[in-house]
């Protein structure tokens, strides 16, 4: 069973690694990006990073993403780089950058969320991404970026893990938890 899960994870990762313009949600723990927070840590303020992976453009002029967060979690502040302006709210981000964000690696940070859980969750749930309201691309139910060179060019985006459930909130993390570094190491 364990071998089957590892093969399924590798196939999911390989499919995501070949896709371009994918969004992720991470927090930093001991120098690694991880996509979970254990239940016992949710009542301590934590920072989440909205990331763009494998961009097909050199720079990003803006982005939009809708988020579904657990009922017992609040976003204290939402910020971003380069004259970041959010025309929506923390869970319905319609963001423009005064100066386009240059992405010179396979991942760039587009926004930060300062978060807090109001109570320790009884069970694990997910933070999920989807389309902003209203969506700039009506038939696309996911995040969107604007090309920094030509902001009129809108690009539909997917999810780095292949699922709109981008972050595990209040979960029990097993001994084989995965980090972004672990995933990248598979392809190096």
């Amino acid at each position: 069973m364990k071998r089957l899960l590892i093969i399924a994870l590798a196939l999911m990762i390989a499919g995501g690694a070949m896709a371009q313009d994918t969004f992720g949600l991470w927090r930093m723990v001991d120098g690694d990006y991880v996509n979970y927070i254990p239940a016992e840590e949710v009542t301590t303020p934590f920072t989440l990073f909205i990331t763009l992976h494998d961009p097909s453009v050199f720079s990003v002029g803006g982005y939009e993403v809708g988020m579904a967060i657990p009922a017992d979690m609040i976003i204290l502040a939402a910020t971003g780089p380069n004259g970041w302006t959010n025309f929506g709210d923390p869970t319905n981000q319609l963001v423009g950058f005064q100066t386009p964000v240059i992405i010179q690696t396979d991942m760039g940070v587009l926004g930060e969320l300062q978060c807090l859980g109001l109570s320790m969750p009884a069970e694990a749930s997910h933070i999920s991404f989807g389309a902003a309201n209203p969506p700039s691309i009506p038939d696309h139910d996911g995040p969107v970026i604007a090309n920094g060179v030509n902001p009129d060019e809108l690009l539909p985006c997917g999810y780095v893990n292949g699922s709109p459930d981008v972050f595990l909130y209040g979960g029990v993390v097993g001994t084989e938890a995965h980090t972004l570094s672990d995933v990248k190491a598979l392809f190096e």
Side-chain angles (χ1 to χ4, degrees):
M1 181 69 171
K2 187 174 181 180
R3 179 175 284 165
L4 181 60
L5 289 173
I6 291 170
I7 291 170
L9 178 64
L11 289 173
M12 180 182 75
I13 292 168
M18 290 183 261
Q20 288 190 323
D21 301 324
T22 56
F23 268 56
L25 189 64
W26 308 88
R27 74 182 184 114
M28 184 72 73
V29 176
D30 298 327
D32 275 330
Y33 285 104
V34 296
N35 64 348
Y36 61 87
I37 185 166
E40 59 274 3
E41 294 180 27
V42 301
T43 55
T44 302
F46 57 96
T47 302
L48 299 178
F49 298 94
I50 299 170
T51 55
L52 176 66
H53 301 260
D54 302 312
S56 61
V57 293
F58 175 71
S59 64
V60 177
Y63 72 91
E64 63 182 45
V65 65
M67 287 179 257
I69 63 172
D72 64 341
M73 181 186 139
I74 58 172
I75 298 175
L76 303 169
T79 60
N82 295 5
W84 186 86
T85 302
N86 184 5
F87 297 98
D89 61 53
T91 59
N92 186 47
Q93 294 194 4
L94 306 164
V95 172
F97 299 113
Q98 186 172 358
T99 304
V101 174
I102 307 295
I103 301 180
Q104 296 177 331
T105 63
D106 59 349
M107 183 187 92
V109 175
L110 299 180
E112 292 183 24
L113 305 172
Q114 304 300 320
C115 304
L116 178 66
L118 301 175
S119 62
M120 188 180 302
E123 60 184 42
S125 59
H126 286 93
I127 297 173
S128 300
F129 281 174
N133 185 18
S136 291
I137 302 176
D139 294 334
H140 177 65
D141 188 27
V144 172
I145 60 171
N147 185 340
V149 174
N150 177 6
D152 292 332
E153 181 184 359
L154 301 177
L155 303 166
C157 299
Y159 309 103
V160 72
N161 64 357
S163 168
D165 296 333
V166 292
F167 191 86
L168 181 61
Y169 177 81
V172 176
V173 179
T175 58
E176 295 183 16
H178 297 284
T179 67
L180 182 59
S181 299
D182 295 338
V183 172
K184 284 181 168 183
L186 292 172
F187 299 99
E188 293 177 346

